[in-house]
C-alpha cells in the first residue's frame, strides 16, 4: 500500500517536472524563435513583407548585417525581413543541397556554389554576370607575432627552419584552399615550375605546427600561442582587430586574391534579386569594406577609413603581384590537381600529398 | 533469450511472450522510437558505405594517413577507457565511502565535462595546456593532447555508473567477509569487485564509445597533424569536405564495428568477473 502511494506521489512529481520543462521549452521557443529576423522597417516598398533567407559562410555575417540595415532604407528593401544562417562554407553548401531553405547563398569558394548548380538549385549562369558570381573579396596575408620577431616578409620566409606555421587545413576546410593557392602560385606565377612549387609546398607543410579545421580555429590556435605565422585572410585579420582580437600581419609581394561567391537560388523570393543587386552596388561594397573586405571594384568610395586595419587611413595597400583564380584557369584547373583526396582511385592532389608527407617525415 | 526454442523450454511459469495489448503498444512505440533515432541512421551509414563498394572501403581505411588516424583514435580510446575504469572506480569509492569538506562541490564538478559544450572544453584545454600554458605543460599539437581530451570528456561516465551501485552495496557483507578471515584484498576481489563489475563495464563501454567519436574538445589542442595527432573524426570531416560520402561512411562503419567489438568484449569480461563472486 505505502509503496503504491509512494509510487503515485513520485509519478505526480515526475509529471510536474515534465510539465515545467515543456512549459519552459515552449516559452523559450516563442522568445527566441524569431531571434534571427532583423527588424522589419515600416512602410510598403514593392517587396514589403517578403523574407530573404541568407545562408552564408561565417566571416561575412557582420558585413551582411550592416548591408541588410542599409538595404532596408531603400525603396526595394523597405519592409523586407531576413532569416540568416552562418557556418562553415562547405557545411552550409551541403545543408542547402540537403534542403535548407535559402534565397541567397554567400560562400567562401565558388566550388561550394557549383555544388548547388549541380543540384539544380542555382542557375548555371550565375557567374556570367559582370561580377562573375563574386560578391566579396580579400587577399591572403601572413599573421605574425607582435613586432614580427621572426622577420616574416614573404612566402619564402615561411619555409625557413624554426618557423612554425598555423593554417586551416586545405583538406578539411574548403575555405583554407586560398592559403594553399597562395603558397602554390607564389612559385608558379613567378616563373617557377610545378615541380619547384611542389617542393615549396612540401617544405611549407613541414613547418606547419597546427592544422585546424577552420579559419576561425586557426586564429584561435594562433592567439593561444601556437606557431610564429598564421596564414590568414586580410578581412579576418581586420575583423579580428575590430573585435579586440587583432594581430600584426604582413602582405607578401605576391599573394592570392580571395573571391567569395554569391548567388540567388532559382526559386528565390523576388526581393532576393534586388538584394543581390544592392550587395554588388557601391553602397553594399562600402559596407563590406568597412568590415575589412576589399571592394570588388576599385572605384568604390568607402570613406577612406577602415577601423582595425594596421593603418586605418590606408586599409588596403596596393599589392605588387596579386594572383587571381582566372590567372590559373579557375577552380576546375586546380581542384583535383592540388586538392583531390584519391576518391575512387583518382590520383591524390599535390597539396593533399604534401600534408601527408609532412606527417610521415616527422614520424 | 529462453524463448528461442519454445517446444523445449516452454513451461507454465515462462510463457512465450508476456505481451498484453498495452505492453504490445509499449513495445511498438519503443521500436518505432528506436528505429527513428538509431536504427535508420545507422543503416544509412552502412548503405552509404556499400554504395562505394568493398574496394573503396578497403582503399579508404588502409590509406596510410587514415589508417594511422584510426589506430591513434582506437589506441587512445582503449587506454583512456582502462584509466577511467580504475580512476573512475577510485573516485566513486572516495565519493561514496569517505566524508570530507568540499565533497558536495566535488560531486558537482565531476559532471562538468558532461555539461560543457565540447568546443568550450577544447578552448579551455588549449589555454591550459597550449603553448601559453600557465601550468608549464605544453601538450598542444602532440598525440598526448588526444589522450588528454578523451580523459577530460569521458571521466564522468565511469564515476557516475559505479557510484550508485557502490552506494547500494551492503557494508554488512564486507564485514561478514572480514569476520570470516578474508583479507582486504580478498574481500575486494571476491565480494566488492563482482558486484561492481557490471557498472564498471558499462562505464567503460560508454567512455570508449564517446572517446572514439570525439571531435570538438580535441581539434583545437591537437592541431590535427597527420601521423601525429590527427584522429578518425577529422578524416571523416575531410572526406565529407571532398564530396566523398562513401569514404566518410567507410571510416564511420569501421569505427562502429570496433565499438561494437569492444562493447561485446567488455560484456564478456564483466560476466566472468561477476560470476566469480
Amino acid at each position: 500500500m505505502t509503496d503504491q502511494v509512494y509510487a503515485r506521489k513520485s509519478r505526480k512529481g515526475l509529471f510536474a517536472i515534465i510539465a515545467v520543462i515543456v512549459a519552459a521549452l515552449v516559452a523559450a521557443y516563442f522568445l527566441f524563435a524569431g531571434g534571427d529576423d532583423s527588424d522589419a522597417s515600416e512602410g510598403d516598398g514593392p517587396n514589403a513583407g517578403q523574407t530573404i533567407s541568407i545562408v552564408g559562410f561565417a566571416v561575412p555575417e557582420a558585413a551582411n548585417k550592416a548591408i541588410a540595415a542599409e538595404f532596408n532604407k531603400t525603396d526595394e528593401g523597405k519592409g523586407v525581413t531576413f532569416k540568416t544562417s552562418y557556418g562553415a562554407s562547405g557545411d552550409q553548401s551541403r545543408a542547402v543541397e540537403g534542403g535548407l531553405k535559402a534565397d541567397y547563398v554567400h560562400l567562401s569558394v565558388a566550388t561550394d556554389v557549383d555544388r548547388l548548380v549541380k543540384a539544380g538549385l542555382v542557375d548555371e549562369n550565375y557567374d556570367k554576370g559582370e561580377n562573375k558570381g563574386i560578391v566579396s573579396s580579400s587577399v591572403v596575408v601572413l599573421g605574425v607575432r607582435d613586432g614580427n620577431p621572426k622577420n616574416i616578409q614573404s612566402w619564402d620566409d615561411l619555409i625557413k627552419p624554426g618557423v612554425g606555421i598555423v593554417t586551416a587545413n586545405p583538406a578539411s576546410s574548403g575555405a583554407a584552399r586560398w592559403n594553399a593557392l597562395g603558397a602554390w602560385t607564389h612559385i608558379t606565377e613567378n616563373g617557377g615550375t610545378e615541380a619547384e612549387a611542389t617542393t615549396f609546398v612540401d617544405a611549407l607543410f613541414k613547418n606547419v605546427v597546427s592544422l585546424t579545421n577552420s579559419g576561425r580555429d586557426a586564429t584561435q590556435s594562433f592567439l593561444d600561442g601556437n606557431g610564429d605565422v598564421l596564414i590568414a585572410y586580410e578581412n579576418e585579420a581586420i575583423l579580428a582587430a575590430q573585435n579586440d582580437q587583432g594581430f600584426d600581419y604582413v602582405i607578401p609581394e605576391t599573394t592570392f586574391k580571395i573571391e567569395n561567391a554569391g548567388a540567388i537560388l532559382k526559386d528565390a523570393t523576388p526581393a532576393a534579386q534586388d538584394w543581390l543587386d544592392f550587395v554588388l552596388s557601391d553602397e553594399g561594397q562600402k559596407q563590406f569594406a568597412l568590415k575589412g573586405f576589399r571592394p570588388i571594384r576599385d572605384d568604390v568610395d568607402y570613406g577612406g577609413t577602415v577601423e582595425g586595419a594596421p593603418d586605418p587611413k590606408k586599409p588596403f595597400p596596393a599589392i605588387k603581384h596579386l594572383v587571381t583564380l582566372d590567372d590559373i584557369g579557375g577552380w576546375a584547373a586546380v581542384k583535383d590537381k592540388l586538392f583531390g583526396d584519391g576518391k575512387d582511385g583518382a590520383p591524390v592532389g599535390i597539396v593533399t600529398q604534401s600534408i601527408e608527407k609532412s606527417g610521415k617525415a616527422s614520424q | 533469450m529462453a524463448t528461442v526454442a519454445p517446444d523445449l523450454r516452454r513451461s507454465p511459469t515462462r510463457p512465450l511472450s508476456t505481451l498484453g495489448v498495452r505492453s504490445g503498444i509499449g513495445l511498438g512505440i519503443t521500436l518505432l522510437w528506436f528505429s527513428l533515432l538509431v536504427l535508420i541512421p545507422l543503416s544509412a551509414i552502412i548503405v552509404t558505405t556499400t554504395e562505394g563498394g568493398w574496394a573503396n572501403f578497403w582503399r579508404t581505411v588502409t590509406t596510410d594517413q587514415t589508417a594511422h588516424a584510426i589506430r591513434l583514435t582506437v589506441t587512445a580510446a582503449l587506454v583512456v577507457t582502462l584509466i577511467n575504469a580504475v580512476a573512475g572506480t577510485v573516485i566513486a569509492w572516495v565519493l561514496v565511502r569517505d566524508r570530507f569538506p568540499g565533497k558536495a562541490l566535488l560531486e558537482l564538478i565531476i559532471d562538468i565535462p558532461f555539461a560543457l559544450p565540447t568546443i568550450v572544453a577544447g578552448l579551455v584545454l588549449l589555454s591550459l595546456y597550449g603553448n601559453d600554458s600557465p601550468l608549464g605543460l605544453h601538450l598542444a599539437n602532440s598525440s598526448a593532447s588526444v589522450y588528454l581530451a578523451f580523459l577530460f570528456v569521458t571521466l564522468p561516465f565511469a564515476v557516475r555508473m559505479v557510484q550508485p551501485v557502490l552506494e547500494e552495496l551492503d557494508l554488512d557483507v564486507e564485514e561478514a567477509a572480514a569476520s570470516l578471515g578474508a583479507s582486504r584484498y580478498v574481500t575486494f576481489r571476491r565480494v566488492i569487485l563482482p558486484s561492481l563489475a557490471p557498472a564498471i563495464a558499462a562505464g567503460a563501454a560508454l567512455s570508449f564509445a564517446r572517446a572514439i567519436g570525439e571531435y570538438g574538445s580535441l581539434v583545437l589542442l591537437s592541431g590535427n597533424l597527420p601521423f601525429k595527432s590527427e584522429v578518425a573524426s577529422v578524416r571523416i570531416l575531410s572526406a565529407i569536405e571532398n564530396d566523398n560520402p562513401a569514404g566518410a561512411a567507410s571510416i564511420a562503419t569501421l569505427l562502429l564495428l570496433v565499438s561494437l567489438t569492444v562493447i561485446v568484449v567488455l560484456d564478456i569480461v564483466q560476466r566472468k568477473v561477476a560470476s566469480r563472486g
Side-chain angles (χ1 to χ4, degrees):
Chain A
M1 244 335 244
T2 45
D3 273 3
Q4 268 180 0
V5 171
Y6 176 71
R8 215 177 294 148
K9 260 192 181 164
S10 70
R11 199 176 285 175
K12 246 188 194 167
L14 193 65
F15 279 133
I17 291 170
I18 291 174
V20 168
I21 292 172
V22 169
L25 286 176
V26 169
Y29 177 79
F30 283 113
L31 270 177
F32 298 115
D36 272 345
D37 298 9
S38 59
D39 293 334
S41 38
E42 301 291 319
D44 45 353
N47 293 319
Q50 292 185 41
T51 299
I52 302 176
S53 296
I54 298 179
V55 175
F57 71 112
V59 186
E61 180 172 3
N64 279 342
K65 216 174 192 171
I67 298 173
E70 294 301 318
F71 182 59
N72 280 146
K73 292 178 192 160
T74 66
D75 274 352
E76 289 79 19
K78 237 177 226 164
V80 173
T81 54
F82 293 90
K83 269 193 182 355
T84 58
S85 160
Y86 292 99
S89 184
D91 290 345
Q92 295 293 82
S93 161
R94 281 184 290 275
V96 172
E97 186 192 20
L100 176 65
K101 164 82 181 134
D103 295 302
Y104 168 79
V105 290
H106 184 184
L107 300 166
S108 176
V109 288
T111 44
D112 283 334
V113 179
D114 292 343
R115 181 182 288 119
L116 303 178
V117 172
K118 233 179 260 170
L121 295 168
V122 169
D123 192 288
E124 59 179 348
N125 291 321
Y126 86 92
D127 56 353
K128 300 292 187 292
E130 205 180 316
N131 67 318
K132 295 185 180 156
I134 306 304
V135 296
S136 62
S137 96
S138 190
V139 299
V140 178
V141 298
L142 307 173
V144 294
R145 296 284 168 210
D146 287 348
N148 198 359
K150 298 254 169 168
N151 192 23
I152 307 292
Q153 299 299 342
S154 75
W155 287 99
D156 288 320
D157 294 327
L158 298 194
I159 62 168
K160 287 182 179 159
V163 173
I165 303 169
V166 177
T167 172
N169 186 351
S172 63
S173 157
R177 290 178 178 176
W178 299 114
N179 299 351
L181 285 174
W184 174 259
T185 56
H186 153 69
I187 302 292
T188 60
E189 295 301 300
N190 280 324
T193 64
E194 289 198 352
E196 284 164 348
T198 307
T199 312
F200 180 77
V201 174
D202 282 353
L204 186 139
F205 277 100
K206 226 171 252 170
N207 272 352
V208 166
V209 294
S210 180
L211 209 49
T212 63
N213 292 313
S214 73
R216 182 60 227 158
D217 282 1
T219 307
Q220 190 63 49
S221 178
F222 182 71
L223 290 175
D224 268 308
N226 269 329
D228 306 298
V229 183
L230 169 71
I231 309 184
Y233 311 157
E234 185 183 50
N235 65 298
E236 287 200 42
I238 293 175
L239 190 66
Q242 289 179 357
N243 295 327
D244 295 325
Q245 289 230 296
F247 48 86
D248 290 352
Y249 63 87
V250 172
I251 305 177
E253 275 193 0
T254 302
T255 197
F256 206 84
K257 186 176 184 192
I258 294 162
E259 295 168 303
N260 309 125
I264 56 171
L265 276 80
K266 279 183 185 167
D267 61 353
T269 183
Q273 182 62 52
D274 293 328
W275 160 255
L276 177 59
D277 292 343
F278 188 77
V279 166
L280 295 172
S281 72
D282 283 3
E283 183 57 36
Q285 290 299 312
K286 175 186 166 188
Q287 297 302 324
F288 270 128
L290 293 178
K291 299 291 178 192
F293 287 90
R294 291 189 177 218
I296 56 173
R297 289 178 302 275
D298 290 333
D299 57 354
V300 173
D301 176 18
Y302 51 85
T305 309
V306 174
E307 291 308 324
D311 179 359
K313 296 273 173 227
K314 224 183 144 201
F316 305 122
I319 289 159
K320 204 168 167 194
H321 188 178
L322 187 61
V323 185
T324 65
L325 264 179
D326 274 349
D327 297 340
I328 56 172
W331 278 113
V334 288
K335 192 178 169 224
D336 291 333
K337 182 166 134 193
L338 295 185
F339 305 109
D341 77 336
K343 178 168 75 163
D344 301 328
V348 176
I350 292 167
V351 171
T352 317
Q353 277 188 43
S354 292
I355 295 170
E356 191 177 344
K357 276 187 267 182
S358 73
K360 266 190 181 162
S362 69
Q363 248 188 329
Chain B
M1 285 302 281
T3 50
V4 197
D7 292 339
L8 297 174
R9 303 250 178 113
R10 216 164 161 184
S11 69
T13 50
R14 273 202 153 177
L16 178 62
S17 158
T18 59
L19 289 180
V21 176
R22 273 206 219 171
S23 46
I25 294 172
L27 179 66
I29 292 172
T30 309
L31 273 183
L32 181 69
W33 188 244
F34 190 65
S35 303
L36 285 175
L37 284 178
V38 182
L39 290 181
I40 295 173
L42 279 188
S43 324
I45 292 174
I46 292 164
V47 166
T48 314
T49 308
T50 53
E51 273 168 7
W54 171 251
N56 192 55
F57 171 82
W58 193 244
R59 196 170 45 234
T60 305
V61 298
T62 53
T63 309
D64 283 353
Q65 199 180 339
T66 307
H68 189 276
I70 294 172
R71 268 203 303 279
L72 171 65
T73 311
V74 174
T75 315
L78 282 173
V79 170
V80 163
T81 302
L82 281 176
I83 295 176
N84 272 338
V86 178
T89 308
V90 172
I91 293 174
W93 184 275
V94 170
L95 284 179
V96 172
R97 293 292 169 94
D98 299 334
R99 283 174 195 200
F100 52 90
K103 184 173 149 178
L105 189 69
L106 191 61
E107 282 257 13
L108 209 66
I109 291 174
I110 296 264
D111 282 333
I112 284 187
F114 268 156
L116 217 53
T118 52
I119 192 68
V120 179
L123 275 173
V124 171
L125 292 177
L126 179 63
S127 54
L128 278 183
Y129 303 105
N131 283 357
D132 288 346
S133 169
L135 309 172
L137 285 169
H138 303 298
L139 299 178
N141 313 323
S142 68
S143 57
S145 63
V146 175
Y147 289 79
L148 180 74
F150 284 4
L151 277 174
F152 180 82
V153 294
T154 60
L155 175 71
F157 286 104
V159 178
R160 289 298 182 220
M161 291 309 279
V162 173
Q163 204 180 4
V165 180
L166 203 53
E167 266 162 7
E168 293 299 311
L169 215 59
D170 225 334
L171 272 175
D172 296 352
V173 186
E174 284 166 53
E175 280 159 13
S179 71
L180 289 171
S183 66
R184 281 195 68 85
Y185 171 75
V186 171
T187 311
F188 178 76
R189 182 77 192 73
R190 306 288 300 261
V191 178
I192 301 171
L193 195 58
S195 330
L196 291 186
I200 296 175
L206 286 175
S207 292
F208 184 83
R210 170 71 196 265
I212 206 167
E214 183 54 25
Y215 172 73
S217 64
L218 62 83
V219 282
L220 277 176
L221 188 64
S222 79
N224 311 307
L225 298 174
F227 298 98
K228 197 171 168 194
S229 59
E230 189 180 40
V231 297
S233 47
V234 174
R235 294 302 297 160
I236 295 178
L237 196 75
S238 293
I240 293 174
E241 188 62 43
N242 285 293
D243 290 319
N244 184 2
S250 298
I251 305 171
T253 303
L254 187 70
L255 293 183
L256 273 176
L257 289 175
V258 171
S259 290
L260 198 65
T261 313
V262 168
I263 290 170
V264 168
V265 168
L266 275 172
D267 193 52
I268 294 171
V269 171
Q270 173 261 114
R271 276 163 202 268
K272 280 229 160 111
V273 175
S275 69
R276 278 197 211 154

